[in-house]
Amino acid sequence: WNDKPIEYLDGSGNWAEDADPLFGSISEAIQSREFELSVAELQRISQWKLQSSRNDSNITQNTDEAVTRQFRSAITASTDGNAVDLLTELSGVGVPMASTMLTVAEPSQYAIIDYRAFRALAGVKPEIVDSRQYAEYAEFLEFFRTYLKNPEAYEFYMDHVREIAAAETLSPRQVDMALWAFDKERE
């Protein structure tokens, strides 16, 4: 993680790097300014998520005010699906990016969704892919197929991540990192 720091605006308004995979510094900074988030900072979060230095022109179509408004509404949303739904109204933000925004702000409450972590759920919780339990198996497959654009898939994912987190006394962010590593190791 040391070679993949996420950039954020610190309390002085300067760019800083957070190499902590649990997002200690960035989440503290975002929370201290009551979840204000600029387009420039959203771009840096996107670049970290994509591990790319390219600028997403869709993200720059948003205003700072719109990003902050949607972000604050998402943080106080009644469900994970509603939170993601609010964030995906922003230009250039899909479900994985929305999950990243939520997680950098509150890693003790949220987890980042991606294909590796989602796929790893099947290895950690084999009962969700047991074909004898067809309804649950079909639900997993449908949500895995549509997770890039389906806020309900994020709810499904978070239900399972939080269940694992509670059982193992971990944060959702720690679980998503473990799922990602588990899937990577199985390649």
Side-chain angles (χ1 to χ4, degrees), residues 11-125:
S12 304
N14 298 315
W15 288 106
E17 291 184 346
D18 188 351
D20 176 7
L22 299 178
F23 304 129
S25 298
I26 188 172
S27 63
E28 183 180 314
I30 291 171
Q31 289 175 27
S32 72
R33 57 180 189 254
E34 298 174 353
F35 302 100
E36 181 181 307
L37 194 68
S38 69
V39 171
E41 197 165 22
L42 178 54
Q43 282 186 294
R44 303 288 175 96
I45 293 168
S46 175
Q47 290 169 344
W48 176 86
K49 170 71 171 125
L50 299 172
Q51 289 302 299
S52 167
S53 61
R54 74 175 173 86
N55 285 326
D56 186 339
S57 61
N58 291 322
I59 288 176
T60 60
Q61 293 175 17
N62 299 299
T63 64
D64 290 341
E65 295 78 21
V67 171
T68 294
R69 182 180 57 251
Q70 293 301 106
F71 192 48
R72 285 177 173 161
S73 295
I75 290 294
T76 60
S78 59
T79 68
D80 297 325
N82 289 343
V84 166
D85 217 14
L86 286 161
L87 292 172
T88 58
E89 290 176 16
L90 294 167
S91 184
V93 176
V95 173
M97 186 62 212
S99 75
T100 303
M101 293 168 70
L102 292 167
T103 305
V104 298
E106 293 191 327
S108 64
Q109 300 300 314
Y110 296 100
I112 297 172
I113 192 171
D114 71 8
Y115 82 95
R116 284 194 181 284
F118 203 123
R119 186 171 64 181
L121 281 177
V124 175
K125 297 185 77 181

